[in-house]
mmCIF file of all heavy atoms in Angstrom:
data_model
loop_
_atom_site.group_PDB
_atom_site.id
_atom_site.type_symbol
_atom_site.label_atom_id
_atom_site.label_comp_id
_atom_site.label_asym_id
_atom_site.label_seq_id
_atom_site.Cartn_x
_atom_site.Cartn_y
_atom_site.Cartn_z
ATOM 1 N N PRO A 354 18.345 51.755 13.235
ATOM 2 C CA PRO A 354 17.477 51.515 12.064
ATOM 3 C C PRO A 354 17.689 50.136 11.431
ATOM 4 O O PRO A 354 16.737 49.531 10.933
ATOM 5 C CB PRO A 354 17.874 52.646 11.107
ATOM 6 C CG PRO A 354 18.427 53.720 11.976
ATOM 7 C CD PRO A 354 19.129 53.008 13.083
ATOM 8 N N PRO A 459 -28.662 -1.823 9.012
ATOM 9 C CA PRO A 459 -29.117 -0.443 8.784
ATOM 10 C C PRO A 459 -28.572 0.171 7.506
ATOM 11 O O PRO A 459 -29.214 1.038 6.911
ATOM 12 C CB PRO A 459 -28.599 0.306 10.028
ATOM 13 C CG PRO A 459 -27.455 -0.533 10.533
ATOM 14 C CD PRO A 459 -27.818 -1.945 10.232
ATOM 15 N N ILE A 523 8.021 13.204 7.284
ATOM 16 C CA ILE A 523 7.831 11.940 7.994
ATOM 17 C C ILE A 523 6.897 12.123 9.184
ATOM 18 O O ILE A 523 6.130 11.227 9.529
ATOM 19 C CB ILE A 523 9.199 11.395 8.448
ATOM 20 C CG1 ILE A 523 10.109 11.184 7.228
ATOM 21 C CG2 ILE A 523 9.043 10.105 9.235
ATOM 22 C CD1 ILE A 523 11.494 10.726 7.584
ATOM 23 N N THR A 547 -7.231 14.505 18.582
ATOM 24 C CA THR A 547 -6.776 15.740 17.934
ATOM 25 C C THR A 547 -7.903 16.405 17.188
ATOM 26 O O THR A 547 -8.140 17.601 17.299
ATOM 27 C CB THR A 547 -5.619 15.423 16.967
ATOM 28 O OG1 THR A 547 -4.549 14.861 17.706
ATOM 29 C CG2 THR A 547 -5.143 16.690 16.293
ATOM 30 N N THR A 561 -13.666 22.307 1.998
ATOM 31 C CA THR A 561 -12.340 21.747 1.723
ATOM 32 C C THR A 561 -11.267 22.822 1.871
ATOM 33 O O THR A 561 -11.438 23.948 1.402
ATOM 34 C CB THR A 561 -12.295 21.178 0.300
ATOM 35 O OG1 THR A 561 -13.272 20.141 0.204
ATOM 36 C CG2 THR A 561 -10.925 20.593 -0.003
ATOM 37 N N TYR A 577 -3.930 21.185 11.074
ATOM 38 C CA TYR A 577 -4.427 20.190 10.125
ATOM 39 C C TYR A 577 -5.298 20.852 9.064
ATOM 40 O O TYR A 577 -5.896 21.898 9.285
ATOM 41 C CB TYR A 577 -5.203 19.069 10.839
ATOM 42 C CG TYR A 577 -6.495 19.490 11.501
ATOM 43 C CD1 TYR A 577 -7.679 19.572 10.768
ATOM 44 C CD2 TYR A 577 -6.538 19.790 12.855
ATOM 45 C CE1 TYR A 577 -8.861 19.940 11.384
ATOM 46 C CE2 TYR A 577 -7.715 20.166 13.474
ATOM 47 C CZ TYR A 577 -8.883 20.236 12.731
ATOM 48 O OH TYR A 577 -10.052 20.604 13.330
ATOM 49 N N ILE A 597 7.410 21.201 13.925
ATOM 50 C CA ILE A 597 8.096 20.770 12.701
ATOM 51 C C ILE A 597 7.650 21.600 11.515
ATOM 52 O O ILE A 597 8.447 21.949 10.641
ATOM 53 C CB ILE A 597 7.827 19.277 12.460
ATOM 54 C CG1 ILE A 597 8.377 18.459 13.628
ATOM 55 C CG2 ILE A 597 8.427 18.815 11.140
ATOM 56 C CD1 ILE A 597 8.089 16.979 13.521
ATOM 57 N N LEU A 642 31.567 25.170 1.802
ATOM 58 C CA LEU A 642 31.146 24.607 0.523
ATOM 59 C C LEU A 642 31.554 23.144 0.416
ATOM 60 O O LEU A 642 30.771 22.285 -0.031
ATOM 61 C CB LEU A 642 31.752 25.417 -0.626
ATOM 62 C CG LEU A 642 31.352 24.990 -2.047
ATOM 63 C CD1 LEU A 642 29.862 25.164 -2.259
ATOM 64 C CD2 LEU A 642 32.154 25.785 -3.070
ATOM 65 N N ARG A 737 -5.014 -23.695 -11.837
ATOM 66 C CA ARG A 737 -3.591 -23.456 -11.567
ATOM 67 C C ARG A 737 -3.187 -22.050 -11.990
ATOM 68 O O ARG A 737 -2.373 -21.394 -11.326
ATOM 69 C CB ARG A 737 -2.755 -24.498 -12.305
ATOM 70 C CG ARG A 737 -2.893 -25.907 -11.717
ATOM 71 C CD ARG A 737 -2.185 -26.938 -12.552
ATOM 72 N NE ARG A 737 -2.346 -28.279 -12.003
ATOM 73 C CZ ARG A 737 -2.719 -29.342 -12.707
ATOM 74 N NH1 ARG A 737 -2.982 -29.206 -14.006
ATOM 75 N NH2 ARG A 737 -2.832 -30.525 -12.127
ATOM 76 N N VAL A 808 -3.256 -29.323 -2.013
ATOM 77 C CA VAL A 808 -4.588 -29.170 -1.407
ATOM 78 C C VAL A 808 -5.670 -29.651 -2.361
ATOM 79 O O VAL A 808 -6.602 -30.363 -1.976
ATOM 80 C CB VAL A 808 -4.821 -27.707 -0.988
ATOM 81 C CG1 VAL A 808 -6.248 -27.520 -0.501
ATOM 82 C CG2 VAL A 808 -3.847 -27.323 0.117
ATOM 83 N N GLY A 834 16.906 -19.657 7.653
ATOM 84 C CA GLY A 834 16.274 -19.641 6.338
ATOM 85 C C GLY A 834 15.829 -20.994 5.853
ATOM 86 O O GLY A 834 15.438 -21.131 4.688
ATOM 87 N N GLN A 867 12.250 -26.963 -8.411
ATOM 88 C CA GLN A 867 12.436 -25.553 -8.748
ATOM 89 C C GLN A 867 12.898 -24.744 -7.540
ATOM 90 O O GLN A 867 13.679 -23.796 -7.675
ATOM 91 C CB GLN A 867 11.128 -24.977 -9.300
ATOM 92 C CG GLN A 867 11.244 -23.536 -9.774
ATOM 93 C CD GLN A 867 9.945 -23.032 -10.377
ATOM 94 O OE1 GLN A 867 8.995 -23.785 -10.532
ATOM 95 N NE2 GLN A 867 9.909 -21.766 -10.726
ATOM 96 N N GLY A 869 14.657 -26.028 -5.167
ATOM 97 C CA GLY A 869 15.854 -26.664 -4.624
ATOM 98 C C GLY A 869 15.573 -27.380 -3.322
ATOM 99 O O GLY A 869 16.445 -27.464 -2.452
ATOM 100 N N GLN A 885 5.199 -33.168 2.421
ATOM 101 C CA GLN A 885 6.131 -32.265 3.101
ATOM 102 C C GLN A 885 7.273 -31.889 2.157
ATOM 103 O O GLN A 885 7.820 -32.726 1.468
ATOM 104 C CB GLN A 885 6.696 -32.935 4.352
ATOM 105 C CG GLN A 885 7.742 -32.099 5.082
ATOM 106 C CD GLN A 885 8.262 -32.809 6.315
ATOM 107 O OE1 GLN A 885 7.532 -33.105 7.229
ATOM 108 N NE2 GLN A 885 9.546 -33.119 6.323
#
Side-chain angles (χ1 to χ4, degrees):
I523 301 177
T547 299
T561 299
Y577 66 84
I597 299 177
L642 183 63
R737 290 174 181 131
V808 174
Q867 184 177 354
Q885 177 180 299

